[in-house]
Amino acid sequence: MENRFAIGGTLGEISQEQYDALQREIVETEQKLKDLEEQAEQPATAVQKIAASGEKIRKFHQVRGVHGVFRDVEGDQVHGVRDL
């Protein structure tokens, strides 16, 4: 059984084996694309979680009235995230 296809307006025929191979390649490519899309979402999710955590800490400090000097593990004064 022959399968018809059109590329660039040209109609042609391929064998069943060629058609099946093409279908497998399409499925594999779709899965790779799905995997890449999921990987692309991971950094954005991590940034959102970090931002949410930072906001929780900021609110905690506001509610608790935490003021004063913060120090890092070496005892140096920390003024902001850039100092870490």
Coordinates of all heavy atoms in Angstrom, one line a residue:
M1 N 0.9 -1.2 0.0 CA 0.0 0.0 0.0 C 0.9 1.2 0.0 O 1.8 1.4 0.8 CB -0.9 0.0 1.2 CG -1.7 1.2 1.4 SD -2.7 1.1 2.9 CE -3.7 2.5 2.7
E2 N 0.6 2.2 -0.9 CA 1.4 3.4 -1.0 C 0.7 4.5 -0.2 O -0.5 4.6 -0.1 CB 1.5 3.8 -2.5 CG 2.3 2.8 -3.3 CD 3.7 2.7 -2.9 OE1 4.3 3.7 -2.7 OE2 4.2 1.5 -2.9
N3 N 1.5 5.4 0.3 CA 1.0 6.5 1.1 C 1.4 7.8 0.3 O 2.5 7.9 -0.2 CB 1.6 6.6 2.5 CG 1.2 5.5 3.3 OD1 0.0 5.4 3.7 ND2 2.1 4.5 3.6
R4 N 0.5 8.7 0.2 CA 0.7 9.9 -0.6 C 1.1 11.0 0.4 O 0.6 11.1 1.5 CB -0.5 10.3 -1.4 CG -0.9 9.4 -2.4 CD -2.0 9.9 -3.3 NE -2.3 9.1 -4.4 CZ -1.7 9.3 -5.6 NH1 -0.8 10.2 -5.8 NH2 -1.9 8.4 -6.6
F5 N 2.0 11.9 -0.1 CA 2.4 13.0 0.8 C 2.7 14.2 -0.2 O 2.9 14.0 -1.4 CB 3.7 12.7 1.6 CG 4.9 12.5 0.7 CD1 5.8 13.6 0.6 CD2 5.2 11.3 0.1 CE1 6.9 13.5 -0.2 CE2 6.3 11.2 -0.7 CZ 7.2 12.3 -0.8
A6 N 2.7 15.4 0.4 CA 3.0 16.6 -0.4 C 4.0 17.4 0.4 O 3.9 17.7 1.5 CB 1.7 17.4 -0.6
I7 N 5.1 17.7 -0.3 CA 6.1 18.6 0.2 C 6.3 19.7 -0.8 O 6.7 19.4 -2.0 CB 7.4 17.8 0.5 CG1 7.2 16.8 1.5 CG2 8.5 18.8 0.9 CD1 8.4 15.9 1.8
G8 N 6.2 20.9 -0.4 CA 6.4 22.0 -1.3 C 5.5 22.0 -2.5 O 5.9 22.4 -3.6
G9 N 4.3 21.5 -2.4 CA 3.3 21.4 -3.5 C 3.5 20.3 -4.4 O 2.8 20.1 -5.3
T10 N 4.5 19.4 -4.2 CA 4.8 18.3 -5.0 C 4.2 17.0 -4.4 O 4.5 16.7 -3.2 CB 6.3 18.1 -5.2 OG1 6.9 19.2 -5.7 CG2 6.6 16.9 -6.1
L11 N 3.4 16.3 -5.1 CA 2.7 15.1 -4.6 C 3.6 13.9 -4.9 O 4.1 13.8 -6.0 CB 1.3 15.0 -5.2 CG 0.5 13.8 -4.7 CD1 0.2 14.1 -3.2 CD2 -0.8 13.7 -5.4
G12 N 3.9 13.1 -3.9 CA 4.7 11.9 -4.1 C 4.1 10.7 -3.4 O 3.1 10.8 -2.7
E13 N 4.8 9.6 -3.5 CA 4.4 8.4 -2.8 C 5.6 7.8 -2.1 O 6.7 7.9 -2.6 CB 3.8 7.4 -3.8 CG 2.5 7.8 -4.4 CD 1.9 6.8 -5.4 OE1 2.5 5.7 -5.5 OE2 0.8 7.1 -5.9
I14 N 5.3 7.2 -1.0 CA 6.4 6.5 -0.2 C 5.8 5.1 0.2 O 4.6 4.9 0.2 CB 6.8 7.3 1.1 CG1 5.6 7.5 2.0 CG2 7.4 8.6 0.7 CD1 5.9 8.2 3.3
S15 N 6.8 4.3 0.5 CA 6.4 2.9 0.9 C 5.8 2.9 2.3 O 6.0 3.9 3.1 CB 7.6 2.0 0.8 OG 8.5 2.3 1.8
Q16 N 5.2 1.8 2.7 CA 4.7 1.7 4.1 C 5.8 1.8 5.1 O 5.7 2.4 6.1 CB 3.9 0.4 4.2 CG 3.2 0.2 5.5 CD 2.1 1.3 5.8 OE1 1.3 1.6 4.9 NE2 2.0 1.8 7.0
E17 N 7.0 1.2 4.8 CA 8.1 1.2 5.7 C 8.6 2.7 5.9 O 8.9 3.1 7.0 CB 9.3 0.4 5.1 CG 9.1 -1.1 5.3 CD 10.3 -1.9 4.8 OE1 11.3 -1.2 4.4 OE2 10.2 -3.1 4.7
Q18 N 8.7 3.4 4.8 CA 9.1 4.8 4.9 C 8.0 5.6 5.7 O 8.4 6.5 6.5 CB 9.2 5.4 3.5 CG 10.4 4.9 2.7 CD 10.4 5.3 1.3 OE1 9.4 5.3 0.6 NE2 11.6 5.6 0.8
Y19 N 6.8 5.3 5.4 CA 5.7 6.0 6.2 C 5.8 5.7 7.7 O 5.7 6.7 8.5 CB 4.3 5.6 5.6 CG 3.2 6.3 6.3 CD1 2.8 7.6 6.0 CD2 2.5 5.6 7.3 CE1 1.7 8.2 6.7 CE2 1.4 6.2 8.0 CZ 1.1 7.5 7.7 OH 0.0 8.0 8.3
D20 N 6.0 4.5 8.0 CA 6.1 4.1 9.4 C 7.3 4.7 10.1 O 7.2 5.2 11.2 CB 6.2 2.5 9.5 CG 4.9 1.9 9.1 OD1 3.8 2.6 9.1 OD2 4.9 0.6 8.9
A21 N 8.4 4.8 9.4 CA 9.6 5.4 9.9 C 9.4 6.9 10.1 O 9.9 7.4 11.1 CB 10.8 5.2 8.9
L22 N 8.7 7.5 9.2 CA 8.4 8.9 9.4 C 7.5 9.2 10.6 O 7.8 10.1 11.4 CB 7.7 9.5 8.1 CG 7.4 10.9 8.1 CD1 8.6 11.8 8.2 CD2 6.7 11.3 6.8
Q23 N 6.5 8.3 10.8 CA 5.6 8.4 11.9 C 6.4 8.2 13.2 O 6.2 9.0 14.2 CB 4.5 7.4 11.8 CG 3.5 7.7 10.7 CD 2.8 9.0 10.9 OE1 2.5 9.4 12.0 NE2 2.7 9.8 9.8
R24 N 7.3 7.3 13.3 CA 8.2 7.1 14.5 C 9.0 8.3 14.8 O 9.2 8.7 15.9 CB 9.1 5.8 14.3 CG 8.3 4.5 14.5 CD 9.3 3.3 14.6 NE 10.1 3.2 13.4 CZ 9.8 2.5 12.3 NH1 8.6 1.9 12.2 NH2 10.6 2.5 11.3
E25 N 9.6 8.9 13.7 CA 10.4 10.1 13.9 C 9.6 11.2 14.4 O 10.1 12.0 15.2 CB 11.1 10.4 12.5 CG 12.1 11.5 12.7 CD 12.9 11.8 11.4 OE1 13.0 10.9 10.6 OE2 13.4 12.9 11.3
I26 N 8.4 11.4 13.9 CA 7.5 12.5 14.4 C 7.2 12.3 15.9 O 7.3 13.2 16.7 CB 6.2 12.5 13.6 CG1 6.5 13.0 12.2 CG2 5.1 13.4 14.2 CD1 5.3 12.8 11.2
V27 N 6.9 11.1 16.3 CA 6.6 10.8 17.7 C 7.8 11.1 18.6 O 7.7 11.7 19.6 CB 6.1 9.3 17.9 CG1 6.1 8.9 19.4 CG2 4.7 9.1 17.2
E28 N 9.0 10.6 18.1 CA 10.2 10.9 18.9 C 10.5 12.4 19.0 O 10.9 12.9 20.1 CB 11.4 10.2 18.2 CG 11.4 8.7 18.3 CD 12.5 8.0 17.5 OE1 13.4 8.7 17.0 OE2 12.4 6.7 17.4
T29 N 10.3 13.1 17.9 CA 10.6 14.5 17.9 C 9.6 15.3 18.8 O 10.0 16.2 19.6 CB 10.5 15.1 16.5 OG1 11.4 14.4 15.7 CG2 10.8 16.6 16.4
E30 N 8.3 14.8 18.8 CA 7.3 15.4 19.7 C 7.7 15.2 21.2 O 7.6 16.1 22.0 CB 5.9 14.9 19.4 CG 5.3 15.4 18.2 CD 4.0 14.7 17.8 OE1 3.7 13.6 18.3 OE2 3.3 15.3 17.0
Q31 N 8.2 14.0 21.5 CA 8.6 13.7 22.9 C 9.8 14.5 23.3 O 9.9 15.0 24.4 CB 8.9 12.2 23.0 CG 9.2 11.8 24.5 CD 8.1 12.1 25.4 OE1 7.0 11.8 25.2 NE2 8.4 12.7 26.6
K32 N 10.8 14.7 22.4 CA 12.0 15.5 22.7 C 11.6 17.0 22.9 O 12.1 17.6 23.8 CB 13.0 15.4 21.5 CG 13.7 14.1 21.5 CD 14.7 14.1 20.3 CE 15.3 12.7 20.2 NZ 16.2 12.6 19.0
L33 N 10.6 17.4 22.1 CA 10.1 18.8 22.3 C 9.4 19.0 23.6 O 9.7 20.0 24.4 CB 9.2 19.2 21.2 CG 8.5 20.6 21.2 CD1 9.6 21.7 21.2 CD2 7.6 20.8 20.1
K34 N 8.6 18.0 24.0 CA 8.0 18.0 25.3 C 9.0 18.1 26.4 O 8.8 18.9 27.4 CB 7.0 16.8 25.5 CG 6.3 16.8 26.7 CD 5.4 15.6 26.8 CE 4.7 15.5 28.2 NZ 4.0 14.2 28.4
D35 N 10.0 17.2 26.4 CA 11.0 17.2 27.4 C 11.8 18.5 27.5 O 12.0 19.0 28.6 CB 12.1 16.1 27.1 CG 11.5 14.7 27.2 OD1 10.4 14.5 27.9 OD2 12.1 13.7 26.7
L36 N 12.1 19.1 26.3 CA 12.8 20.4 26.3 C 11.9 21.5 26.9 O 12.4 22.4 27.7 CB 13.2 20.8 24.9 CG 14.3 20.0 24.3 CD1 14.5 20.3 22.9 CD2 15.6 20.2 25.1
E37 N 10.6 21.5 26.6 CA 9.7 22.5 27.2 C 9.6 22.3 28.7 O 9.6 23.3 29.4 CB 8.3 22.3 26.6 CG 8.2 22.8 25.2 CD 6.9 22.4 24.5 OE1 6.2 21.5 25.0 OE2 6.5 23.1 23.5
E38 N 9.6 21.1 29.2 CA 9.6 20.9 30.7 C 10.9 21.4 31.3 O 10.9 22.0 32.4 CB 9.4 19.4 31.0 CG 8.0 18.9 30.7 CD 7.8 17.4 30.8 OE1 8.7 16.7 31.2 OE2 6.7 16.9 30.6
Q39 N 12.0 21.1 30.7 CA 13.3 21.6 31.2 C 13.3 23.1 31.2 O 13.9 23.7 32.1 CB 14.5 21.1 30.3 CG 14.7 19.6 30.5 CD 15.8 19.1 29.6 OE1 16.6 19.9 29.0 NE2 15.9 17.8 29.4
A40 N 12.7 23.8 30.2 CA 12.7 25.2 30.1 C 11.9 25.8 31.2 O 12.2 26.9 31.7 CB 12.2 25.7 28.8
E41 N 10.9 25.1 31.7 CA 10.1 25.6 32.8 C 10.7 25.5 34.1 O 10.4 26.3 35.0 CB 8.7 24.9 32.8 CG 7.8 25.1 31.6 CD 6.6 24.3 31.6 OE1 6.4 23.6 32.6 OE2 5.8 24.4 30.7
Q42 N 11.7 24.6 34.3 CA 12.3 24.4 35.6 C 13.0 25.6 36.2 O 12.8 26.0 37.3 CB 13.2 23.2 35.6 CG 12.5 21.9 35.4 CD 13.4 20.7 35.2 OE1 14.6 20.9 35.1 NE2 12.8 19.5 35.1
P43 N 13.9 26.3 35.4 CA 14.5 27.5 36.0 C 13.5 28.6 36.4 O 13.7 29.3 37.4 CB 15.4 28.0 34.8 CG 15.7 26.8 34.0 CD 14.4 26.0 34.1
A44 N 12.5 28.8 35.6 CA 11.4 29.8 35.9 C 10.8 29.4 37.2 O 10.5 30.3 38.1 CB 10.4 29.9 34.8
T45 N 10.5 28.2 37.4 CA 9.8 27.7 38.7 C 10.8 27.9 39.9 O 10.3 28.4 40.9 CB 9.5 26.2 38.6 OG1 8.6 26.0 37.4 CG2 8.8 25.7 39.8
A46 N 12.1 27.7 39.7 CA 13.0 27.9 40.8 C 13.1 29.3 41.1 O 13.1 29.7 42.3 CB 14.4 27.3 40.3
V47 N 13.1 30.2 40.2 CA 13.2 31.7 40.4 C 11.9 32.1 41.2 O 12.0 32.9 42.1 CB 13.4 32.5 39.1 CG1 13.2 33.9 39.3 CG2 14.8 32.2 38.5
Q48 N 10.8 31.6 40.8 CA 9.5 31.9 41.5 C 9.6 31.5 42.9 O 9.1 32.2 43.8 CB 8.3 31.3 40.7 CG 8.1 31.9 39.4 CD 7.0 31.2 38.6 OE1 6.6 30.1 38.9 NE2 6.5 31.8 37.5
K49 N 10.1 30.3 43.2 CA 10.2 29.8 44.5 C 11.1 30.6 45.4 O 10.8 30.9 46.5 CB 10.6 28.3 44.5 CG 9.5 27.3 44.0 CD 10.1 25.9 44.1 CE 9.0 25.0 43.6 NZ 9.5 23.6 43.5
I50 N 12.2 31.0 44.8 CA 13.2 31.8 45.5 C 12.6 33.2 45.9 O 12.7 33.7 47.0 CB 14.5 32.0 44.7 CG1 15.2 30.7 44.7 CG2 15.4 33.1 45.3 CD1 16.4 30.7 43.6
A51 N 11.9 33.8 44.9 CA 11.2 35.1 45.1 C 10.2 35.0 46.2 O 10.0 35.8 47.1 CB 10.6 35.6 43.8
A52 N 9.4 33.9 46.2 CA 8.3 33.7 47.2 C 9.0 33.5 48.5 O 8.4 34.1 49.5 CB 7.5 32.5 46.8
S53 N 10.1 32.8 48.6 CA 10.7 32.6 49.9 C 11.3 33.9 50.4 O 11.1 34.2 51.6 CB 11.9 31.6 49.8 OG 11.4 30.3 49.5
G54 N 11.8 34.7 49.6 CA 12.3 36.0 50.0 C 11.2 36.9 50.5 O 11.4 37.6 51.5
E55 N 10.1 36.8 49.8 CA 8.9 37.6 50.2 C 8.4 37.2 51.6 O 8.1 38.0 52.5 CB 7.8 37.5 49.2 CG 6.6 38.4 49.5 CD 6.9 39.9 49.5 OE1 7.9 40.3 49.0 OE2 6.1 40.6 50.1
K56 N 8.4 35.9 51.8 CA 8.0 35.4 53.2 C 8.9 35.8 54.3 O 8.5 36.2 55.3 CB 8.0 33.8 53.1 CG 6.8 33.2 52.4 CD 6.9 31.7 52.4 CE 5.8 31.1 51.5 NZ 5.9 29.6 51.5
I57 N 10.2 35.8 54.0 CA 11.2 36.3 55.0 C 11.0 37.8 55.2 O 11.0 38.2 56.4 CB 12.6 36.0 54.5 CG1 12.9 34.5 54.5 CG2 13.7 36.7 55.3 CD1 14.1 34.0 53.8
R58 N 10.8 38.5 54.2 CA 10.6 40.0 54.3 C 9.4 40.3 55.2 O 9.4 41.1 56.1 CB 10.5 40.7 53.0 CG 10.4 42.2 53.0 CD 10.1 42.8 51.7 NE 8.7 42.5 51.2 CZ 7.6 43.0 51.7 NH1 7.7 43.9 52.6 NH2 6.5 42.7 51.2
K59 N 8.3 39.6 54.9 CA 7.0 39.7 55.7 C 7.3 39.3 57.1 O 6.8 39.9 58.1 CB 5.9 39.0 55.1 CG 5.4 39.6 53.8 CD 4.2 38.8 53.2 CE 3.7 39.5 52.0 NZ 2.6 38.7 51.4
F60 N 8.0 38.2 57.3 CA 8.2 37.7 58.7 C 9.0 38.8 59.5 O 8.6 39.1 60.6 CB 9.1 36.4 58.6 CG 9.6 36.0 60.0 CD1 8.7 35.3 60.8 CD2 10.9 36.2 60.4 CE1 9.1 34.9 62.1 CE2 11.3 35.8 61.6 CZ 10.4 35.1 62.5
H61 N 10.0 39.4 58.9 CA 10.8 40.4 59.5 C 9.9 41.7 59.8 O 10.0 42.3 60.9 CB 12.0 40.8 58.7 CG 13.0 39.8 58.7 ND1 13.7 39.4 59.8 CD2 13.5 39.0 57.7 CE1 14.6 38.5 59.5 NE2 14.5 38.2 58.2
Q62 N 9.0 42.0 58.9 CA 8.1 43.1 59.2 C 7.1 42.8 60.3 O 7.0 43.7 61.2 CB 7.2 43.4 57.9 CG 8.0 44.2 56.8 CD 7.1 44.4 55.6 OE1 6.1 43.8 55.4 NE2 7.6 45.4 54.8
V63 N 6.6 41.7 60.3 CA 5.6 41.3 61.4 C 6.3 41.2 62.7 O 5.8 41.7 63.8 CB 4.9 40.0 61.1 CG1 4.1 39.4 62.2 CG2 4.0 40.1 59.9
R64 N 7.5 40.6 62.7 CA 8.2 40.4 64.0 C 9.0 41.7 64.4 O 9.5 41.7 65.6 CB 9.2 39.3 63.8 CG 8.6 37.9 63.5 CD 8.1 37.3 64.8 NE 9.2 37.2 65.8 CZ 9.4 36.3 66.6 NH1 8.6 35.3 66.7 NH2 10.4 36.4 67.5
G65 N 9.0 42.6 63.5 CA 9.8 43.8 63.9 C 11.3 43.6 64.0 O 11.9 44.2 64.8
V66 N 11.7 42.7 63.2 CA 13.2 42.3 63.2 C 14.0 43.5 62.6 O 13.8 43.8 61.5 CB 13.4 41.0 62.5 CG1 14.9 40.7 62.5 CG2 12.7 39.9 63.2
H67 N 14.8 44.0 63.4 CA 15.7 45.1 62.9 C 17.1 44.8 63.5 O 17.2 44.1 64.5 CB 15.2 46.5 63.4 CG 13.8 46.8 62.9 ND1 13.5 47.1 61.6 CD2 12.7 46.8 63.6 CE1 12.2 47.3 61.5 NE2 11.7 47.2 62.7
G68 N 18.0 45.4 63.0 CA 19.4 45.2 63.5 C 20.3 44.7 62.5 O 20.1 44.8 61.3
V69 N 21.4 44.3 63.0 CA 22.5 43.9 62.1 C 22.5 42.4 61.8 O 22.3 41.6 62.8 CB 23.9 44.2 62.8 CG1 25.0 43.8 61.9 CG2 23.9 45.7 63.0
F70 N 22.6 42.0 60.6 CA 22.7 40.6 60.2 C 24.1 40.3 59.8 O 24.8 41.1 59.2 CB 21.7 40.3 59.0 CG 20.3 40.5 59.4 CD1 19.6 41.7 59.2 CD2 19.6 39.4 59.9 CE1 18.3 41.8 59.5 CE2 18.2 39.6 60.3 CZ 17.6 40.8 60.1
R71 N 24.5 39.1 60.2 CA 25.9 38.7 59.9 C 25.9 37.4 59.2 O 25.0 36.5 59.4 CB 26.7 38.6 61.2 CG 26.7 39.9 62.0 CD 27.8 39.9 63.0 NE 27.8 41.2 63.7 CZ 28.5 42.3 63.3 NH1 29.2 42.2 62.2 NH2 28.5 43.4 63.9
D72 N 26.9 37.2 58.3 CA 27.0 36.0 57.6 C 27.8 35.0 58.5 O 28.1 35.3 59.6 CB 27.7 36.1 56.3 CG 29.2 36.7 56.4 OD1 29.7 36.6 57.5 OD2 29.7 37.1 55.3
V73 N 28.1 33.8 58.0 CA 28.7 32.7 58.8 C 30.1 33.1 59.3 O 30.6 32.5 60.3 CB 28.7 31.4 58.1 CG1 27.3 30.8 57.9 CG2 29.5 31.5 56.7
E74 N 30.7 34.0 58.6 CA 32.1 34.4 59.0 C 32.0 35.6 60.0 O 33.0 36.1 60.4 CB 32.9 34.8 57.8 CG 33.1 33.6 56.9 CD 33.8 33.9 55.6 OE1 33.8 35.1 55.2 OE2 34.2 33.0 54.9
G75 N 30.8 36.1 60.3 CA 30.6 37.2 61.2 C 30.7 38.6 60.6 O 30.6 39.6 61.3
D76 N 30.8 38.7 59.3 CA 30.8 40.0 58.6 C 29.4 40.5 58.4 O 28.4 39.7 58.2 CB 31.4 39.8 57.2 CG 32.9 39.4 57.2 OD1 33.6 39.9 58.2 OD2 33.3 38.7 56.3
Q77 N 29.2 41.8 58.6 CA 27.9 42.4 58.5 C 27.3 42.3 57.1 O 28.0 42.5 56.1 CB 27.9 43.9 58.9 CG 26.6 44.5 59.0 CD 26.6 45.9 59.5 OE1 27.7 46.3 60.1 NE2 25.6 46.7 59.4
V78 N 26.1 41.9 57.0 CA 25.4 41.7 55.7 C 24.3 42.8 55.6 O 23.5 43.0 56.4 CB 24.7 40.3 55.6 CG1 24.0 40.2 54.3 CG2 25.8 39.3 55.7
H79 N 24.4 43.6 54.4 CA 23.5 44.6 54.2 C 22.4 44.2 53.2 O 21.3 44.8 53.2 CB 24.2 45.9 53.7 CG 25.2 46.4 54.6 ND1 24.9 47.2 55.7 CD2 26.6 46.3 54.6 CE1 26.0 47.5 56.4 NE2 27.0 46.9 55.7
G80 N 22.6 43.2 52.4 CA 21.7 42.8 51.4 C 22.2 41.5 50.8 O 23.2 41.0 51.1
V81 N 21.4 41.0 49.9 CA 21.7 39.7 49.3 C 23.0 39.8 48.5 O 23.8 38.8 48.5 CB 20.6 39.3 48.3 CG1 20.9 38.0 47.5 CG2 19.3 39.1 49.1
R82 N 23.4 40.9 48.0 CA 24.6 41.0 47.2 C 25.8 40.9 48.1 O 26.9 40.5 47.6 CB 24.7 42.4 46.5 CG 23.6 42.5 45.4 CD 23.7 43.8 44.8 NE 22.5 44.0 44.0 CZ 22.4 44.9 43.1 NH1 23.3 45.8 42.9 NH2 21.3 45.0 42.4
D83 N 25.7 41.1 49.4 CA 26.8 40.9 50.3 C 27.1 39.5 50.7 O 28.1 39.2 51.2 CB 26.6 41.7 51.6 CG 26.6 43.2 51.4 OD1 27.1 43.6 50.4 OD2 26.0 43.9 52.3
L84 N 26.2 38.6 50.3 CA 26.4 37.2 50.7 C 27.4 36.5 49.9 O 27.8 36.4 49.0 CB 25.0 36.4 50.6 CG 24.0 36.9 51.6 CD1 22.7 36.1 51.4 CD2 24.5 36.6 53.1

